[in-house]
Each structure stands twice: as C-alpha cells, then as structure tokens.
Amino acid sequence: MPPQNSPRPLRSKHLLAGVAGIAAVLLLLASDVRAFDTVILDPGHGAHDRGAAIGYVYEKHLALDTARRVEQLLRKEGLKVIMSRSRDVFIPLQDRSALGNSKRGAIFVSIHYNYNRGGSGAGAETYYHFSNSYMLAAYIQAYLVQRSSMTNRGVKSANFHVIRATTKNPAVLVECGFVSNSSERARMMTGEFRKRIAEGIAQGIVAYRKAD
Ligand SMILES: [Zn+2]
C-alpha cells in the first residue's frame, strides 16, 4: 500500500538502436543477472503495521499468504527462496532492503495489496526503481494480469524504499489488487484467487529467468 505514483511511459525495448548499440549490448551483458538462483520474497507490512485494512481484511495477511504460495511454487521450480518474514512480525524497511542486498545472484520481490480512498481503484501494478529491474517487473506484471484477469495498471517506476535501497539485485514491488475495492476484496478473500495471483508472480519470475 505505498502511495500512488504517476505512471511513466513504458521504456522502449529498443534501447540498443543507434550508435551506442554495441557498447549498450556489452553493458547489458555485463549487468545481466538472470542467472539468479535465489528469490528473496518480501511480504509487505506485519504485526502492528496492517497495511491496507477494510474490516477484518488486512493487507499484511494477504501479502504473507500470497508470498508463501509463491515460495512453494518457486521451490518446485528448483529455485532457492528467502522470506523476509514467514510470520506476522514487523520488519523495518531497512532490514528488508538489507536482506535484498545480502546475497549475490538473487532477485527481490516485495508483495503488497493496494488501497485508495473511495474504493474506485482496481487492478494490478508492478513497480521498479532502477532500470535493471524493469524487465523483471514487466514479466511479473504480464503473467500476474494474465493469470488473475485483473485490470492491467501497468509497470511503473517509484521511489519506494525497498526497491530504491535494494541496489545489488533487481528489485520490484507488486501490488496485487485493491483491498479498498469491494469486488476485488471479495475475490482476494478466496484462496483460489490468491493462488492465481501467486501462480502469476511465480510464472513471471520463471519466464524472466528463462528469457534471452
Ligand atoms: Zn503495502
């Protein structure tokens, strides 16, 4: 439930055009970290920090349940998974980003559910901060939307702490629908829907890893 940011235009996939093409290719190869074998999952909020909350539906619970499902799916794919929390505990943001930086050959995925006043917001969106995290965000967003049939709010850049301070690995923050939206809230209260969300996130991670 970070605050809304204005969406930026999607970055062109054709960054390599032009005279700097060769240099750009080499730079991309040098910074390509898709050989990661570890996924650091970060369920948002916890304990007294409930995140978005309507009635008894708390973002902290939805995020943890979803992250646990993603964890199981990724382990089945042979990936290692580190969880920032596996219980209803409070983790300071600095500890989350420190965990994101603690291991080489990893990616960092923070999982949240969204909120807006009035309840009109709907759909899923995925945030990145550094450009080397854009493709990871794009893959997760695409598979998440496909699997959940939620409105596609797109890939957006933002300045949220966990994706700004996680500098050593690609880092994204996923917003899996709006707790404040009555119809989305009804869906996310079902295990079937959270299963679909988890499948979308996991499939996006696996597809990103396999992509050229
Ligand atoms: Zn949140």
Side-chain angles (χ1 to χ4, degrees), residues 1-2 45 59 112-113:
M1 187 190 63
H45 312 281
E59 179 188 359
H112 288 250
Y113 283 78

Side-chain angles (χ1 to χ4, degrees), residues 8-150:
R8 282 187 188 174
L10 296 184
R11 291 166 59 87
S12 169
K13 292 178 75 175
H14 305 289
L15 295 172
L16 308 185
V19 290
I22 304 273
V25 167
L26 292 174
L27 193 62
L28 281 173
L29 289 173
S31 64
D32 192 345
V33 288
R34 292 186 196 183
F36 66 90
D37 63 1
T38 301
V39 179
I40 301 165
L41 292 177
D42 175 43
H45 312 281
H48 63 272
D49 176 10
R50 298 180 300 182
I54 302 282
Y56 294 110
V57 183
Y58 296 167
E59 179 188 359
K60 65 172 186 173
H61 292 144
L62 297 166
L64 179 56
D65 176 86
T66 305
R68 281 174 165 161
R69 293 171 187 266
V70 176
E71 176 189 19
Q72 296 307 313
L73 293 166
L74 293 176
R75 288 193 194 283
K76 281 184 194 163
E77 291 288 331
L79 286 160
K80 298 171 191 163
V81 180
I82 298 171
M83 302 282 285
S84 65
R85 67 181 181 97
S86 294
R87 298 178 295 118
D88 186 20
V89 292
F90 179 75
I91 313 281
L93 293 177
Q94 292 82 356
D95 292 3
R96 297 174 192 259
S97 52
L99 185 66
N101 288 321
S102 66
K103 194 172 190 313
R104 293 281 181 182
I107 61 169
F108 178 89
V109 179
S110 192
I111 294 175
H112 288 250
Y113 283 78
N114 221 333
Y115 178 89
N116 81 324
R117 289 178 189 273
S120 59
E125 57 198 12
T126 304
Y127 289 93
Y128 70 100
H129 182 71
F130 298 108
S131 59
N132 71 331
S133 302
Y134 171 76
M135 287 307 293
L136 173 60
Y139 270 90
I140 289 176
Q141 176 69 14
Y143 281 82
L144 173 58
V145 165
Q146 182 187 56
R147 198 75 192 95
S148 68
S149 304
M150 268 190 290

